[in-house]
Amino acid sequence: MARARNMKNSFMTMTPSPFFHLFSVSPFASLQFSPKRSPRNHYQNLTPKTIALFFISLLVTFTFLGISILNLITTYQYPPLQCSVVSPSSPFSQLPLHYSQVLLASLASTDSNSGDGDDHGEPRLGSSVMVPLPAHVVVGNLSEEEREFWEQPDGEGYKPCLDFSIGYRRKSAKISKEKRRFLVVVASGGLNQQRNQIVDAVVIARILEAALVVPVLQVNLIWGDESEFEDIFDVKHFKRTLQADVRVVSSLPSTHLMSRQTIENQLPYSVSPLWIRARFLKQLNEEGVLVLKGLDSKLSKNLPPDLQKLRCKIAFHALRFAAPIHELGNRLARRMWIEGPYVALHLRLEKDVWVRTGCLTGLGPEYDETIIKVRESQTEYLTGKLNMSHVQRRFAGLCPLTALEMARFLRALGAPGNARVYIAGGQPFGSHLGLQPFAAAFPNLVTKEMLAWKGELSPYINRSSAMAAIDYIVSLNSDVFVPSHGGNMGRAMKGHRAYVGHRKHIRPNKRAMLPFFEHSSISDTEFGSIMRKLHKKSQGQPEPRHNKRDRDVTAYPVPDCMCKHR
């Protein structure tokens, strides 16, 4: 009731709608304010024609009233942007009216937590997904290649559709109230590796019909990040979004604290729901608690349809970042977005990447020698294909593109030299020297440290997962996203951008393109034509997962989690 009174008062103090004066001439107003007549005279004057006119006028009046109230609410919720934010000289300052309206709605809803339902009702999934700001309308004097670079792919009518089966929903009533069996999962690695394991943890809890304890984030040995789940993710939102699928609790109940807790960390790859039930169900029933470690990429990519949809629900709806990170990431994204279109580049040039991939840095013998020494002393970090030379690894597509290669690649695709590029990722090995070749071609480089105001990043200086989450948000809002290497961030961004409208995502085809980097006789024009042809069909268009069954549905949500709407 208090809210209703406040809303009424706020309307009364606002400037009246231009439709308000219509009340004074409507039959409804005459009934309210005209002198009283006797009932007999009143009904004698009500002919069928008068009655019809009265109801038509009443309908028109309430229509205008509804429009007026909606206008007032929109004005109240979505205040206009400050004109000084956009440079008058910018070609993007002249936007169509309908585009400005979309912009206002997007900016107003970015930091809003509304629409997630209450603590007792299931949230509306449409409002829980993290949606990026609108793609820019590119105008100005651009070449055909530059215009093509900024152009967004055709989504072919694919939109999210998480329609779970009746059988799944029937089981949910029991599973969501489970209080005897509990699953504890320890997630390791960087942010996006942890996200993958959290997704699979929820699915396994569903398979075992167990309650899930909020996942434990293992201390990262490489970055020394001691963040806990609630430091990175919105726990309340996580529980609420999944309340119809799995019961999620913050900790084990006191009745289970002294239970025998066997830690399982030797799972084979690509385990099926049948294998999981056969291996763990009896143990879980007897002990009440199951602890899983080393879950990374162990659950099969090919699950029944309902469990695939659950994966998408977790990744795109439930795993929202904690409010402080969410709000800061969105602020930085708006600062990038408001100046015009931008590219988000996940440039994998960190020291640990060079160590793990077994590749040369391209920075010279001194830097390569440093990496080789670390690699020899920490052989456990080198991943896969141990018998290959660094040259073989590079041409097999196992190495990240260097700053010089990435600069040449983007220019070949049509990225203008004055394009604003957001660099996501950690500190490059070699610091400024590592970025120098790219900065020479694209001087408008921006990082989160450059975007943030004084003190905004201070709480996250030694928290790599939080920093990665900020990069994730700014990258999601970009017009074009390009990873220099594969990995969890690239796959997560590919799937999320597809799920929210097939935003442009260019995945370098390193095996096909790198041989052309060696031919100095190829002109820039011919090189550009070759690069655009190689990547014409890998720029964010819908890619059905069933073309390659080993693909992760959270990277390829078509068609498991997205349907064609005509």
Side-chain angles (χ1 to χ4, degrees):
M1 295 303 293
R3 179 179 295 180
R5 276 199 306 273
N6 292 337
M7 184 64 74
K8 181 178 180 181
N9 292 338
S10 67
F11 285 153
M12 292 299 291
T13 58
M14 289 182 179
T15 304
S17 165
F19 300 113
F20 191 79
H21 70 279
L22 294 174
F23 290 120
S24 61
V25 295
S26 69
F28 182 68
S30 66
L31 288 176
Q32 282 187 310
F33 301 114
S34 61
K36 292 183 178 180
R37 300 177 181 177
S38 66
R40 179 182 302 174
N41 293 336
H42 177 66
Y43 288 109
Q44 284 178 349
N45 294 330
L46 291 179
T47 65
K49 183 177 180 180
T50 304
I51 294 173
L53 179 62
F54 164 73
F55 281 109
I56 292 173
S57 301
L58 192 63
L59 179 62
V60 171
T61 298
F62 278 106
T63 300
F64 283 138
L65 177 62
I67 294 173
S68 178
I69 292 174
L70 286 175
N71 285 338
L72 289 173
I73 292 174
T74 303
T75 303
Y76 179 75
Q77 289 182 339
Y78 306 142
L81 291 174
Q82 297 296 323
C83 297
S84 60
V85 177
V86 182
S87 170
S89 61
S90 170
F92 305 100
S93 60
Q94 305 297 325
L95 297 177
L97 177 61
H98 69 88
Y99 189 69
S100 300
Q101 292 170 344
V102 173
L103 164 63
L104 289 174
S106 298
L107 291 180
S109 62
T110 299
D111 293 326
S112 172
N113 293 330
S114 62
D116 294 324
D118 52 38
D119 291 336
H120 304 289
E122 185 176 352
R124 296 188 298 275
L125 287 183
S127 60
S128 63
V129 66
M130 188 164 64
V131 179
L133 296 167
H136 285 84
V137 176
V138 179
V139 296
N141 187 21
L142 302 176
S143 68
E144 182 180 347
E145 290 78 16
E146 290 172 340
R147 194 175 300 278
E148 183 180 321
F149 177 79
W150 293 117
E151 184 181 5
Q152 294 299 318
D154 181 5
E156 301 177 10
Y158 280 103
K159 295 181 181 179
C161 56
L162 301 182
D163 49 340
F164 295 92
S165 69
I166 295 176
Y168 179 94
R169 287 178 288 181
R170 283 175 179 167
K171 290 183 179 179
S172 296
K174 175 187 175 183
I175 296 173
S176 62
K177 294 179 176 59
E178 178 58 45
K179 296 182 179 180
R180 296 182 299 107
R181 297 173 296 189
F182 293 86
L183 173 65
V184 178
V185 170
V186 180
S188 59
L191 172 71
N192 292 291
Q193 192 175 357
Q194 290 172 342
R195 281 170 55 92
N196 293 340
Q197 293 171 68
I198 294 167
V199 169
D200 284 353
V202 177
V203 175
I204 291 174
R206 173 80 191 195
I207 293 170
L208 293 173
E209 299 184 9
L212 176 69
V213 179
V214 169
V216 178
L217 304 188
Q218 185 174 340
V219 176
N220 194 297
L221 297 178
I222 296 177
W223 298 288
D225 191 341
E226 299 182 359
S227 298
E228 297 181 4
F229 187 97
E230 58 267 26
D231 297 324
I232 306 300
F233 303 105
D234 186 334
V235 178
K236 184 177 179 182
H237 176 79
F238 183 73
K239 293 179 179 179
R240 189 168 58 229
T241 305
L242 298 173
Q243 64 187 6
D245 307 278
V246 171
R247 181 171 179 244
V248 181
V249 297
S250 297
S251 59
L252 282 173
S254 57
T255 54
H256 287 64
L257 288 176
M258 301 304 294
S259 302
R260 179 185 174 188
Q261 297 176 9
T262 305
I263 300 177
E264 299 286 344
N265 57 8
Q266 298 296 324
L267 275 70
Y269 282 96
S270 195
V271 296
S272 67
L274 182 63
W275 187 95
I276 289 172
R277 281 190 287 265
R279 174 66 181 82
F280 296 121
L281 198 54
K282 181 179 178 182
Q283 174 185 339
L284 188 57
N285 285 330
E286 293 175 351
E287 301 179 4
V289 178
L290 172 65
V291 182
L292 293 181
K293 293 182 66 177
L295 195 56
D296 192 26
S297 299
K298 299 298 179 66
L299 184 60
S300 172
K301 301 294 186 293
N302 304 309
L303 299 177
D306 285 322
L307 296 182
Q308 297 289 60
K309 290 179 173 63
L310 178 58
R311 271 178 159 158
C312 292
K313 183 176 180 180
I314 304 158
F316 305 132
H317 295 272
L319 279 175
R320 187 168 69 186
F321 296 118
I325 297 174
H326 186 75
E327 291 164 5
L328 177 56
N330 284 328
R331 283 201 301 273
L332 300 189
R334 288 198 295 271
R335 290 171 196 169
M336 280 296 294
W337 189 95
I338 204 66
E339 293 294 330
Y342 69 95
V343 182
L345 176 60
H346 193 218
L347 201 56
R348 302 303 311 277
L349 301 177
E350 300 96 327
K351 184 177 181 179
D352 72 287
V353 175
W354 295 118
V355 171
R356 286 188 290 106
T357 57
C359 303
L360 297 183
T361 65
L363 300 177
E366 180 182 349
Y367 290 91
D368 289 336
E369 186 65 27
T370 300
I371 295 298
I372 291 172
K373 287 182 178 178
V374 175
R375 190 182 299 140
E376 289 175 348
S377 64
Q378 299 176 336
T379 54
E380 69 274 13
Y381 285 134
L382 184 60
T383 54
K385 311 283 185 178
L386 302 182
N387 59 339
M388 297 175 67
S389 69
H390 62 83
V391 175
Q392 291 172 321
R393 297 176 75 85
R394 177 171 175 265
F395 283 103
L398 300 176
C399 297
L401 294 175
T402 66
L404 181 61
E405 291 169 340
M406 182 56 77
R408 194 178 179 196
F409 175 59
L410 285 185
R411 291 304 299 267
L413 291 179
N418 63 351
R420 294 164 61 253
V421 181
Y422 178 84
I423 302 294
Q427 180 71 18
F429 180 58
S431 191
H432 297 295
L433 180 63
L435 276 178
Q436 195 278 329
F438 189 87
F442 295 93
N444 293 329
L445 291 184
V446 184
T447 63
K448 52 185 170 292
E449 289 80 10
M450 297 167 64
L451 278 177
W453 295 349
K454 185 177 180 180
E456 284 186 317
L457 289 176
S458 298
Y460 311 113
I461 293 300
N462 296 317
R463 294 171 56 189
S464 61
S465 291
M467 289 292 204
I470 293 169
D471 279 340
Y472 189 102
I473 296 170
V474 181
S475 296
L476 181 64
N477 283 277
S478 66
D479 296 82
V480 180
F481 176 80
V482 187
S484 68
H485 192 45
N488 294 302
M489 172 69 165
R491 285 191 292 270
M493 197 55 56
K494 176 180 176 59
H496 201 148
R497 289 173 73 87
Y499 193 75
V500 295
H502 298 282
R503 295 290 283 269
K504 194 159 205 172
H505 175 286
I506 303 174
R507 186 178 71 256
N509 186 345
K510 287 183 285 187
R511 286 187 181 182
M513 63 188 263
L514 283 177
F516 294 100
F517 280 73
E518 306 301 313
H519 296 292
S520 57
S521 60
I522 299 178
S523 67
D524 289 343
T525 301
E526 185 180 1
F527 182 77
S529 177
I530 292 171
M531 292 299 108
R532 289 191 296 275
K533 184 176 181 180
L534 283 176
H535 296 86
K536 188 173 183 178
K537 295 184 179 180
S538 60
Q539 300 198 15
Q541 299 92 334
E543 295 183 61
R545 191 190 71 87
H546 54 60
N547 288 353
K548 291 186 178 180
R549 292 283 290 167
D550 59 341
R551 288 175 167 176
D552 190 342
V553 71
T554 58
Y556 296 86
V558 175
D560 303 71
C561 304
M562 302 184 75
C563 308
K564 225 170 198 181
H565 294 252
R566 299 186 182 277

